Amino acid sequence: MKGNPVPEPRRTALATALFAALTLSAGCEVDIDPGAIPVPVSIAPIPSASAGQPKYVCTAIYKILTDGAVRLATDDRDRLRDAFTTMSTAVAAAGRVSTEPAQRDAATAISESLSRGAQSPDPVAYRDGEFATIGQRLDDTCV
């Protein structure tokens, strides 16, 4: 290996980091172009040619259930009912686009269960019981 053993991109990154650290420690202000900052990673499904395919639908439904679970950290029955209703509607919509009949059926069953949870006289019991395993109904359809 001739010359400097550090590859060019690393040398540039190191030099930039050192310059920024020295400049900031000297009390100078550094303007950074917003386009130079990488976009944050999102796990949200993005509409694409794969929309409707089993893995895409599973990702969408699991995301709905996971995001909805965050809203269930309450014992307020009205808030729980609202969360279950919202999830039921979203799961039904996501399931309808599936190209797999068994997956559509599983999504419908999940949506109906969430709807029953929303209408339950004790949505806390539904949250602590059936909701904990509701996503498993979809597992076998995610091929």
Side-chain angles (χ1 to χ4, degrees):
M1 207 187 263
K2 267 181 149 179
N4 194 341
V6 179
E8 182 66 33
R10 285 189 186 171
R11 283 188 293 179
T12 304
L14 181 60
T16 303
L18 287 172
F19 174 73
L22 290 173
T23 304
L24 291 175
S25 67
C28 298
E29 188 175 313
V30 177
D31 289 327
I32 299 174
D33 179 23
I37 300 172
V39 178
V41 175
S42 172
I43 61 167
I46 302 168
S48 68
S50 64
Q53 296 302 311
K55 287 183 182 178
Y56 176 90
V57 173
C58 283
T59 302
I61 292 175
Y62 289 143
K63 181 169 178 10
I64 292 164
L65 294 174
T66 302
D67 290 350
V70 173
R71 296 182 53 209
L72 302 179
T74 180
D75 287 336
D76 182 309
R77 292 172 186 234
D78 291 332
R79 292 173 86 185
L80 288 172
R81 286 185 178 110
D82 288 344
F84 290 138
T85 300
T86 301
M87 284 189 283
S88 175
T89 303
V91 166
R96 277 193 297 272
V97 301
S98 178
T99 60
E100 180 65 36
Q103 190 172 59
R104 285 194 303 269
D105 293 344
T108 298
I110 292 170
S111 175
E112 289 171 353
S113 176
L114 289 165
S115 184
R116 283 192 306 276
Q119 296 167 6
S120 168
D122 189 6
V124 174
Y126 176 80
R127 176 200 63 197
D128 296 342
E130 188 175 347
F131 181 76
T133 58
I134 198 167
Q136 293 174 358
R137 297 177 185 187
L138 194 63
D139 290 349
D140 292 338
T141 69
C142 301
V143 289

